Amino acid sequence: MSYLRADKRGGGTKPSLFLKHRRSLFLSSPQTSVFLFSLVFSFRRRAKGGDLQQSVAFKNHAFSKCAMVFLRGVSALSRLRSRLNQQSSLCDSVRWLQTQSSSDLDLHSQLKELIPEQQERLKKLKSEHGKVQLGNITVDMVLGGMRGMTGLLWETSLLDPEEGIRFRGLSIPECQKLLPAAKPDGEPLPEGLLWLLLTGKVPSKAQVDALSQELRGRAVVPDYVFKAIDALPVSAHPMTQFGTGVMALQVQSEFQKAYEKGIPKSKYWEPTYEDALSLIARVPLVASYVYQRIYKDGKFIAVDNSLDYGGNFSQMLGFNCPQMQELMRLYITIHSDHEGGNVSAHTGHLVGSALSDPYLCFAAALNGLAGPLHGLANQEVLLWIKSVVDECGENISKEQLKDYVWKTLNGGKVVPGFGHGVLRKTDPRYTCQREFALKHLPEDPLFQLVSKLYEVVPPILTELGKVKNPWPNVDAHSGVLLNHFGLTEARYYTVLFGVSRSIGICSQLIWDRALGLPLERPKSVTTDWLENYCNKAKAT
Ligand SMILES: CC(C)(COP(=O)(O)OP(=O)(O)OC[C@H]1O[C@@H](n2cnc3c(N)ncnc32)[C@H](O)[C@@H]1OP(=O)(O)O)[C@@H](O)C(=O)NCCC(=O)NCCS
């Protein structure tokens, strides 16, 4: 498949074969020649009908690419590389076109093409640079939760302390601009992000629609999953019920079945892919069942075949308002992945390194997400904000708010929604939620309280002297948005985070198996060992 980039900078239209991310975009398929012919053919169709100017440029370029590739020899797996400089300033001037065949719309076929090239890259990196040092490990790092220790390969996203997350090289604002939406200028469709995380390419709307349809087709949950949840008391935490449902889903693991039959290592990624997509498709059903069971009348709302992943999840929870559906699309997109070292992502990856199937990995990840320093913080934030309102009212002054923050800190508690293990600036996931609030609910009193907290909390945390990042994180904002549209049950919020995380964790798991990443087994040491080591180091 290919993407054609029509860059309109400088008035000219310069299409180019595009492979996303800063890395090479490539055509490494045996169907390269077929693709090229279809490219030209499709262009000719365009030239007759659609955008003529674009088509002419497209045609010239397509022919030159044809010639180039043929000159290189269309032996078997010809490869075409081009580099894309992904500076955000370019986003406005980039327009995506594409040619399509049935395999263009099929995510599995796309991956099948990409995997051999990535395997080669990794092999080369290992053989040529395997001994290159990436830094020194200090005692502080060992005692400090491995902060700053580079030790994981995670392909789908990368977190910069100052700039925040990039999904396959794209920042959140770039994703909002480039990924297909359900409506003009709407929020990105999470299926588009899934495609991006898996392939490194920005999908077309047709590809996203095909993936939506595939996910809907996989969204079937056996009755025993609901029965397993029903065995728990209704008072059990929503994350406990959700995790139980995910564990019950594991019974259907294709990877486990294939492994029992003796599947070779080179094929591990295929049943992992099956499990991953099915899991992503099914978790909204399990999550919405938990919601209906705990907070509503327990009735199960079925998948709506006219809706996308985010819209569907919203309606299955009982929220049909278009704004809530847009919020859900944004929410799922921005919570999906945050590189590999955070507790849930790392847990999924670690468990997967033992060749546990995606259901087992994701259930384990959820247990990490359920901790208050990680995913549960979204619950904690709304409960904390509501406690502020209960004590001081909605029109609380900044002085009163300061007192309340100090009271929290002096009580030995953290201020939820502020701080981060890696970020050192305001989380862009916070910023985009703030923009959503400014657009859709500027008058909401709890949103206004969140805005006040942004002014009040960072100076106080800075004054404490030990907090490395006094700025708000993703969890500082999500609750007030959900609360505004009627999803008021804070204890449920981490389940939403969990549904979203399935996309990032499962995407990486597919690549873990495709790249043959090994069992994870870092070295641990005792305090005795550290003291002896340090004393010896001092003496020499
Ligand atoms: C996210 C978090 C766990 C990161 O922890 P970390 O990497 O250890 O953060 P730091 O290195 O800045 O922590 C240094 C100290 O500041 C404290 N600190 C950090 N953030 C704080 C906060 N929001 N409120 C109060 N104290 C905080 C830590 O508890 C630690 O105190 P200690 O030395 O007495 O144990 C931490 O900022 C936190 O607890 N935040 C609140 C919970 C939250 O919002 N979690 C969601 C994260 S997306």
Side-chain angles (χ1 to χ4, degrees), residues 337-348:
D337 204 30
H338 216 225
E339 78 170 26
N342 65 78
V343 173
S344 56
H346 185 195
T347 304

Side-chain angles (χ1 to χ4, degrees), residues 378-453:
N378 58 9
Q379 157 186 319
E380 295 300 291
V381 169
L382 198 77
L383 294 177
W384 186 79
I385 287 177
K386 285 190 169 168
S387 74
V388 173
V389 174
D390 284 348
E391 193 165 312
C392 312
E394 275 176 352
N395 294 321
I396 183 171
S397 69
K398 283 189 193 161
E399 283 312 309
Q400 281 175 300
L401 204 47
K402 277 183 196 166
D403 290 345
Y404 200 89
V405 171
W406 276 115
K407 194 172 118 183
T408 302
L409 292 170
N410 292 336
K413 292 183 250 171
V414 296
V415 181
F418 286 79
H420 198 270
V422 177
L423 282 168
R424 294 297 174 255
K425 287 271 168 67
T426 297
D427 192 337
R429 298 172 300 174
Y430 173 93
T431 309
C432 73
Q433 292 183 92
R434 177 171 168 76
E435 280 160 11
F436 188 94
L438 286 168
K439 192 168 158 191
H440 297 286
L441 46 127
E443 305 302 331
D444 184 284
L446 292 192
F447 166 56
Q448 288 174 1
L449 183 49
V450 164
S451 300
K452 269 187 205 157
L453 284 169

Side-chain angles (χ1 to χ4, degrees), residues 147 373 377 409 414-415 417-421 466-468 473 475:
R147 293 292 186 289
L373 296 187
L409 292 170
V414 296
V415 181
F418 286 79
H420 198 270
K466 61 178 182 177
V467 181
K468 295 195 189 66
N473 59 52
D475 300 314

